[in-house]
């Protein structure tokens, strides 16, 4: 199989995300989740990432921990998010929920979404960020330098806004495109493949990935 766990990275192919490895979540109804990543001593230690699936009529109470921020990204279906008003989110919808936000959501038709959680680390003298609700469709893709527009990044948060201690972005490649250097830095990553197929070079290993796969990088 394609599943792999090393000292530097892990690959969870979509084929291993089956019914027998789902987790129920306290405070959620008609819902199940796949835990893709969680803080793990000696590996990636800062964030958790889930795929959550709601049946029609499913709902959830949101973040139980006062000090944890979150991001929601809708994969399919639609959800209604309640916090600072009511927000209807469909496929491609994005929400940033700051620490201390008391939110809940529901889905009349059923939905699946990615939920990323991280304990917030404030920078001295800066307030916590505001809530953001937007979408892939409403956010401009930014071409990366020296790639002839073949590699673009969708940034939902301004990188210069130092109130944010994590970033969730979308990366888009045209057929045949590549990252023209070996990307090396200290930030922990979770990569969920939304569509298509690719080959990643991870610590000298060439790894094939496709839609529904998850990569966990130290």
């Amino acid at each position: 199989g394609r599943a792999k766990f090393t000292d530097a990275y892990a690959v969870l192919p979509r084929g291993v995300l089956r019914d027998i490895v789902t987790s129920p979540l306290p405070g959620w109804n008609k819902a199940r989740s796949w835990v893709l990543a969680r803080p793990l001593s000696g590996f990636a230690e800062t964030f958790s990432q889930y795929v959550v699936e709601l049946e029609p009529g499913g709902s959830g109470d949101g973040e139980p921990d006062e000090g944890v921020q979150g991001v929601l990204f809708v994969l399919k279906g639609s959800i209604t998010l309640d916090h600072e008003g009511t927000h209807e989110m469909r496929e491609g919808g994005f929400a940033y929920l700051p620490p201390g936000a008391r939110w809940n959501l529901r889905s009349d038709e059923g939905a699946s979404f990615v939920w990323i959680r991280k304990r917030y680390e404030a920078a001295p003298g800066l307030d916590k960020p505001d809530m953001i609700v937007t979408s892939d469709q409403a956010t401009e893709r930014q071409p990366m330098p020296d790639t002839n527009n073949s590699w673009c990044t969708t940034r939902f948060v301004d990188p210069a806004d130092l109130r944010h201690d994590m970033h969730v972005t979308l990366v888009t490649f045209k057929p045949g495109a590549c990252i023209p250097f070996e990307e090396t830095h200290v930030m922990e990553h979770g990569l969920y493949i939304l569509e298509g197929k690719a080959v990643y070079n991870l610590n000298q290993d060439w790894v094939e990935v496709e839609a529904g796969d998850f990569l966990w990088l130290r």
Side-chain angles (χ1 to χ4, degrees), residues 5-10 43 202-203 216-218:
F5 199 106
T6 75
D7 291 340
Y9 70 87
F43 198 68
L202 303 173
N203 265 26
W216 193 9
L217 313 180
R218 286 185 68 179

Side-chain angles (χ1 to χ4, degrees), residues 5-47:
F5 199 106
T6 75
D7 291 340
Y9 70 87
V11 179
L12 281 66
R14 64 179 182 178
V16 307
L17 304 180
R18 298 175 181 261
D19 293 347
I20 63 172
V21 293
T22 58
S23 299
L25 297 173
W28 291 72
N29 302 301
K30 295 185 177 180
R32 60 179 184 170
S33 71
W34 287 267
V35 179
L36 304 178
R38 65 170 182 82
L40 183 63
S41 180
F43 198 68
E45 299 184 351
T46 61
F47 71 95

Side-chain angles (χ1 to χ4, degrees), residues 126-140:
L126 296 179
D127 294 331
K128 66 183 181 182
D130 301 317
M131 179 184 181
I132 298 170
V133 179
T134 184
S135 69
D136 177 21
Q137 298 86 345
T139 307
E140 183 179 2

Side-chain angles (χ1 to χ4, degrees), residues 116-174:
I116 300 169
R117 305 171 62 222
K118 181 185 178 297
R119 184 166 297 281
Y120 182 63
E121 300 174 73
L126 296 179
D127 294 331
K128 66 183 181 182
D130 301 317
M131 179 184 181
I132 298 170
V133 179
T134 184
S135 69
D136 177 21
Q137 298 86 345
T139 307
E140 183 179 2
R141 292 179 179 177
Q142 301 175 1
M144 300 301 286
D146 304 319
T147 62
N148 196 29
N149 293 339
S150 63
W151 168 24
C152 296
T153 300
T154 304
R155 294 188 173 93
F156 300 107
V157 173
D158 183 353
D161 185 349
L162 297 182
R163 296 176 301 167
H164 288 271
D165 70 333
M166 73 169 183
H167 288 273
V168 177
T169 63
L170 299 184
V171 177
T172 305
F173 295 97
K174 292 182 179 179

Side-chain angles (χ1 to χ4, degrees), residues 2 4 22 47 61 179 195:
R2 295 188 297 118
K4 199 166 188 178
T22 58
F47 71 95
D61 287 341
I179 299 175
E195 61 182 14

